[in-house]
Amino acid sequence: MPGNAGQQNQRAVRAARLPHCYDHVFDTVTVRTAYRCRAYPDQTQQQVLNRTFGCVRLVWNRTLAARHARWHHERTGTSYAQTDLALTAMKKDPDLAFLNEVSSVPLQQALRHQHKAFSAFFARRARYPRFKSRRSRQCAHYTRSAFSLRGGELRLAKMSEPLAFVWSWPSTDLTGLDPAMVVVSREPDGRWYVTFTVDRDAPEPLPEVGRTVGVDLGVKDFAVTSDGDRIPNLRHLERKARNMVRYQRRLARCQRGSANRAKAKAKVARAHRKVRDARRDFLHRASTRLVREHDVIVIEDLNVSGMVRNRRLARAISDCGWGEFRRQLAYKCERYSRRLLVIDRWYPSSKTCSACGHLLAELSLSARHWTCPACRARHDRDVNAAKNILAAGLAVARGSPGDACGADVRHSGFSRVRSAVKQEPWPVTARIPVL
């Protein structure tokens, strides 16, 4: 009891020192953490899991089709209770009797996930849910009633033998792990994974370093900071493009349904997995470095979905992973008590002089350096943009702390207002220089 009281007092003191938009971080004592490991199921376990994946896919697709048809014919929505009753009816159908051969927990979880997906769609946070394909990633979610983890052995429902996996975190004791959910997945390249989701105590805030930074994202350099540091763009997809083209060509020549086509398809999936893993590792390293070395990080609200419509730059922009980089910055800043500010996407950061505030009428994309006609200052395009991004974010932060954390700001052309829950950054508009 004394130890718990001391921890609560420390959290209260830390919350009092933090900005207003971070007060909610310490309302909950725990945070959800995931551990993803390689799994090695035997032949029998693979058959059980593949059968489970197929049943989950069938339940998802049938429920989604029923929702879609009911909305178009009756103009009424479908509740989770109605989908639950539909699942019971499916299990009683003689043609779908195989649904009773697998665990019911992954089927129920598929209904819950679809209900959440529609809630996110109607709240305009996600796109319309799509049908599941057998060619994509397959997964099944098991709650506590469908698995047991004792002595480091994982046993799933409908399996007599424990599932073999490799634990890759020596600093974490596997025997003391109490996961809330276990997710078993199979990637298109044939690899199996098991993910443990655990509720852990909130980490301690990082010590203040007294530094702020503005970050300008680009294609030539992945990011340029207001301090002049450049994070190079490693171009992961471009480096593997020749091999991937060769693998795709071999796949196109194989006959559909043949064993050689399956092998060629797995080789293409492995090539994509290597690119994906290398990009994710690079983004994690870059975002972690920025969060550790700065108290306040200011970025620009880029319209990535609109920018990839440019057929000449679509592949290069997609290879950068700007959206994933922003997502990682957001949750890491929230977790370690840093501040992330997002300025409006229409702010002319590249065309504005960071020395005097003069705004150019035009600035071509090929111009990497330019001289201000007002103060004759020589600017590097990206460094100047990063300085302006930092100045715009700090100006709004000083003027209105509530707007600085992205709460209660209505974006141009968007009628909804996003709250500061989960510290999801939202664009804030600074004073735009006048031409």
Side-chain angles (χ1 to χ4, degrees), residues 183-203:
V183 183
V184 182
S185 59
R186 188 195 70 216
E187 297 294 334
D189 60 351
R191 285 192 173 190
W192 294 80
Y193 294 92
V194 56
T195 304
F196 301 92
T197 59
V198 184
D199 293 328
R200 290 196 171 276
D201 293 338

mmCIF file of all heavy atoms in Angstrom, residues 183-203:
data_model
loop_
_atom_site.group_PDB
_atom_site.id
_atom_site.type_symbol
_atom_site.label_atom_id
_atom_site.label_comp_id
_atom_site.label_asym_id
_atom_site.label_seq_id
_atom_site.Cartn_x
_atom_site.Cartn_y
_atom_site.Cartn_z
ATOM 1 N N VAL A 183 -2.942 -12.951 -30.615
ATOM 2 C CA VAL A 183 -3.291 -12.890 -32.041
ATOM 3 C C VAL A 183 -2.327 -13.788 -32.799
ATOM 4 O O VAL A 183 -1.106 -13.598 -32.733
ATOM 5 C CB VAL A 183 -3.209 -11.448 -32.578
ATOM 6 C CG1 VAL A 183 -3.649 -11.407 -34.038
ATOM 7 C CG2 VAL A 183 -4.052 -10.509 -31.733
ATOM 8 N N VAL A 184 -2.861 -14.765 -33.485
ATOM 9 C CA VAL A 184 -2.069 -15.662 -34.327
ATOM 10 C C VAL A 184 -2.309 -15.261 -35.775
ATOM 11 O O VAL A 184 -3.460 -15.127 -36.209
ATOM 12 C CB VAL A 184 -2.448 -17.138 -34.104
ATOM 13 C CG1 VAL A 184 -1.582 -18.044 -34.961
ATOM 14 C CG2 VAL A 184 -2.313 -17.506 -32.636
ATOM 15 N N SER A 185 -1.227 -15.060 -36.525
ATOM 16 C CA SER A 185 -1.353 -14.579 -37.904
ATOM 17 C C SER A 185 -0.420 -15.346 -38.818
ATOM 18 O O SER A 185 0.598 -15.903 -38.380
ATOM 19 C CB SER A 185 -1.039 -13.076 -37.987
ATOM 20 O OG SER A 185 0.272 -12.823 -37.527
ATOM 21 N N ARG A 186 -0.787 -15.370 -40.081
ATOM 22 C CA ARG A 186 0.043 -15.967 -41.131
ATOM 23 C C ARG A 186 0.195 -14.966 -42.256
ATOM 24 O O ARG A 186 -0.785 -14.490 -42.835
ATOM 25 C CB ARG A 186 -0.598 -17.248 -41.662
ATOM 26 C CG ARG A 186 0.303 -18.046 -42.617
ATOM 27 C CD ARG A 186 -0.488 -19.081 -43.374
ATOM 28 N NE ARG A 186 -1.385 -18.467 -44.347
ATOM 29 C CZ ARG A 186 -2.583 -18.929 -44.643
ATOM 30 N NH1 ARG A 186 -3.073 -19.972 -44.020
ATOM 31 N NH2 ARG A 186 -3.324 -18.310 -45.557
ATOM 32 N N GLU A 187 1.443 -14.617 -42.551
ATOM 33 C CA GLU A 187 1.726 -13.635 -43.596
ATOM 34 C C GLU A 187 1.659 -14.286 -44.980
ATOM 35 O O GLU A 187 1.758 -15.518 -45.095
ATOM 36 C CB GLU A 187 3.108 -13.023 -43.370
ATOM 37 C CG GLU A 187 3.239 -12.251 -42.075
ATOM 38 C CD GLU A 187 2.379 -11.008 -42.039
ATOM 39 O OE1 GLU A 187 2.072 -10.469 -43.134
ATOM 40 O OE2 GLU A 187 2.000 -10.581 -40.944
ATOM 41 N N PRO A 188 1.503 -13.484 -46.037
ATOM 42 C CA PRO A 188 1.451 -14.072 -47.389
ATOM 43 C C PRO A 188 2.713 -14.830 -47.781
ATOM 44 O O PRO A 188 2.649 -15.705 -48.656
ATOM 45 C CB PRO A 188 1.251 -12.841 -48.288
ATOM 46 C CG PRO A 188 0.587 -11.838 -47.416
ATOM 47 C CD PRO A 188 1.171 -12.046 -46.048
ATOM 48 N N ASP A 189 3.848 -14.517 -47.151
ATOM 49 C CA ASP A 189 5.078 -15.237 -47.492
ATOM 50 C C ASP A 189 5.201 -16.558 -46.751
ATOM 51 O O ASP A 189 6.210 -17.261 -46.913
ATOM 52 C CB ASP A 189 6.300 -14.362 -47.204
ATOM 53 C CG ASP A 189 6.391 -13.969 -45.746
ATOM 54 O OD1 ASP A 189 5.433 -14.234 -44.998
ATOM 55 O OD2 ASP A 189 7.421 -13.401 -45.351
ATOM 56 N N GLY A 190 4.210 -16.932 -45.936
ATOM 57 C CA GLY A 190 4.216 -18.217 -45.251
ATOM 58 C C GLY A 190 4.704 -18.174 -43.826
ATOM 59 O O GLY A 190 4.664 -19.205 -43.142
ATOM 60 N N ARG A 191 5.170 -17.033 -43.334
ATOM 61 C CA ARG A 191 5.636 -16.938 -41.954
ATOM 62 C C ARG A 191 4.457 -16.855 -40.994
ATOM 63 O O ARG A 191 3.443 -16.232 -41.290
ATOM 64 C CB ARG A 191 6.539 -15.726 -41.779
ATOM 65 C CG ARG A 191 7.921 -15.894 -42.368
ATOM 66 C CD ARG A 191 8.838 -14.783 -41.888
ATOM 67 N NE ARG A 191 10.213 -14.989 -42.309
ATOM 68 C CZ ARG A 191 11.242 -14.275 -41.877
ATOM 69 N NH1 ARG A 191 11.032 -13.287 -41.011
ATOM 70 N NH2 ARG A 191 12.465 -14.523 -42.290
ATOM 71 N N TRP A 192 4.646 -17.468 -39.805
ATOM 72 C CA TRP A 192 3.634 -17.454 -38.757
ATOM 73 C C TRP A 192 4.112 -16.566 -37.608
ATOM 74 O O TRP A 192 5.300 -16.558 -37.279
ATOM 75 C CB TRP A 192 3.359 -18.866 -38.235
ATOM 76 C CG TRP A 192 2.721 -19.779 -39.239
ATOM 77 C CD1 TRP A 192 3.346 -20.442 -40.246
ATOM 78 C CD2 TRP A 192 1.333 -20.097 -39.344
ATOM 79 N NE1 TRP A 192 2.445 -21.168 -40.971
ATOM 80 C CE2 TRP A 192 1.199 -20.993 -40.429
ATOM 81 C CE3 TRP A 192 0.201 -19.737 -38.620
ATOM 82 C CZ2 TRP A 192 -0.032 -21.521 -40.815
ATOM 83 C CZ3 TRP A 192 -1.029 -20.267 -39.001
ATOM 84 C CH2 TRP A 192 -1.139 -21.138 -40.075
ATOM 85 N N TYR A 193 3.178 -15.831 -37.014
ATOM 86 C CA TYR A 193 3.503 -14.946 -35.900
ATOM 87 C C TYR A 193 2.438 -15.093 -34.822
ATOM 88 O O TYR A 193 1.264 -15.393 -35.112
ATOM 89 C CB TYR A 193 3.563 -13.477 -36.353
ATOM 90 C CG TYR A 193 4.692 -13.164 -37.308
ATOM 91 C CD1 TYR A 193 4.490 -13.243 -38.685
ATOM 92 C CD2 TYR A 193 5.944 -12.802 -36.835
ATOM 93 C CE1 TYR A 193 5.515 -12.962 -39.569
ATOM 94 C CE2 TYR A 193 6.980 -12.517 -37.717
ATOM 95 C CZ TYR A 193 6.758 -12.605 -39.076
ATOM 96 O OH TYR A 193 7.779 -12.329 -39.943
ATOM 97 N N VAL A 194 2.862 -14.859 -33.587
ATOM 98 C CA VAL A 194 1.941 -14.786 -32.461
ATOM 99 C C VAL A 194 2.227 -13.484 -31.724
ATOM 100 O O VAL A 194 3.386 -13.141 -31.470
ATOM 101 C CB VAL A 194 2.086 -16.010 -31.524
ATOM 102 C CG1 VAL A 194 3.518 -16.169 -31.024
ATOM 103 C CG2 VAL A 194 1.116 -15.915 -30.362
ATOM 104 N N THR A 195 1.178 -12.742 -31.434
ATOM 105 C CA THR A 195 1.282 -11.428 -30.799
ATOM 106 C C THR A 195 0.579 -11.469 -29.452
ATOM 107 O O THR A 195 -0.589 -11.878 -29.377
ATOM 108 C CB THR A 195 0.657 -10.333 -31.679
ATOM 109 O OG1 THR A 195 1.279 -10.367 -32.969
ATOM 110 C CG2 THR A 195 0.859 -8.966 -31.063
ATOM 111 N N PHE A 196 1.291 -11.043 -28.406
ATOM 112 C CA PHE A 196 0.731 -10.961 -27.063
ATOM 113 C C PHE A 196 0.452 -9.489 -26.749
ATOM 114 O O PHE A 196 1.365 -8.659 -26.824
ATOM 115 C CB PHE A 196 1.706 -11.527 -26.017
ATOM 116 C CG PHE A 196 2.086 -12.966 -26.250
ATOM 117 C CD1 PHE A 196 3.210 -13.297 -26.998
ATOM 118 C CD2 PHE A 196 1.329 -13.993 -25.721
ATOM 119 C CE1 PHE A 196 3.573 -14.613 -27.212
ATOM 120 C CE2 PHE A 196 1.678 -15.315 -25.930
ATOM 121 C CZ PHE A 196 2.802 -15.632 -26.681
ATOM 122 N N THR A 197 -0.772 -9.165 -26.405
ATOM 123 C CA THR A 197 -1.124 -7.808 -25.990
ATOM 124 C C THR A 197 -1.246 -7.790 -24.472
ATOM 125 O O THR A 197 -2.005 -8.567 -23.890
ATOM 126 C CB THR A 197 -2.445 -7.367 -26.635
ATOM 127 O OG1 THR A 197 -3.490 -8.269 -26.255
ATOM 128 C CG2 THR A 197 -2.320 -7.356 -28.151
ATOM 129 N N VAL A 198 -0.482 -6.902 -23.851
ATOM 130 C CA VAL A 198 -0.361 -6.877 -22.395
ATOM 131 C C VAL A 198 -0.643 -5.466 -21.918
ATOM 132 O O VAL A 198 -0.235 -4.478 -22.549
ATOM 133 C CB VAL A 198 1.055 -7.316 -21.951
ATOM 134 C CG1 VAL A 198 1.158 -7.384 -20.438
ATOM 135 C CG2 VAL A 198 1.406 -8.663 -22.569
ATOM 136 N N ASP A 199 -1.333 -5.345 -20.791
ATOM 137 C CA ASP A 199 -1.560 -4.059 -20.132
ATOM 138 C C ASP A 199 -0.445 -3.836 -19.113
ATOM 139 O O ASP A 199 -0.326 -4.579 -18.137
ATOM 140 C CB ASP A 199 -2.924 -4.043 -19.424
ATOM 141 C CG ASP A 199 -4.067 -4.087 -20.407
ATOM 142 O OD1 ASP A 199 -3.899 -3.547 -21.515
ATOM 143 O OD2 ASP A 199 -5.122 -4.670 -20.079
ATOM 144 N N ARG A 200 0.367 -2.816 -19.346
ATOM 145 C CA ARG A 200 1.507 -2.535 -18.483
ATOM 146 C C ARG A 200 1.397 -1.128 -17.896
ATOM 147 O O ARG A 200 0.639 -0.296 -18.387
ATOM 148 C CB ARG A 200 2.826 -2.662 -19.248
ATOM 149 C CG ARG A 200 3.171 -4.094 -19.626
ATOM 150 C CD ARG A 200 4.627 -4.212 -20.020
ATOM 151 N NE ARG A 200 5.031 -5.594 -20.174
ATOM 152 C CZ ARG A 200 5.414 -6.374 -19.161
ATOM 153 N NH1 ARG A 200 5.446 -5.887 -17.942
ATOM 154 N NH2 ARG A 200 5.782 -7.625 -19.383
ATOM 155 N N ASP A 201 2.174 -0.877 -16.851
ATOM 156 C CA ASP A 201 2.190 0.449 -16.237
ATOM 157 C C ASP A 201 2.722 1.481 -17.233
ATOM 158 O O ASP A 201 3.582 1.182 -18.068
ATOM 159 C CB ASP A 201 3.064 0.451 -14.979
ATOM 160 C CG ASP A 201 2.471 -0.410 -13.879
ATOM 161 O OD1 ASP A 201 1.249 -0.637 -13.922
ATOM 162 O OD2 ASP A 201 3.223 -0.871 -12.999
ATOM 163 N N ALA A 202 2.195 2.668 -17.124
ATOM 164 C CA ALA A 202 2.635 3.750 -18.007
ATOM 165 C C ALA A 202 4.118 4.025 -17.770
ATOM 166 O O ALA A 202 4.573 4.077 -16.625
ATOM 167 C CB ALA A 202 1.817 5.005 -17.755
ATOM 168 N N PRO A 203 4.922 4.188 -18.829
ATOM 169 C CA PRO A 203 6.354 4.433 -18.648
ATOM 170 C C PRO A 203 6.614 5.799 -18.038
ATOM 171 O O PRO A 203 5.787 6.718 -18.117
ATOM 172 C CB PRO A 203 6.914 4.344 -20.071
ATOM 173 C CG PRO A 203 5.755 4.687 -20.954
ATOM 174 C CD PRO A 203 4.536 4.163 -20.257
#
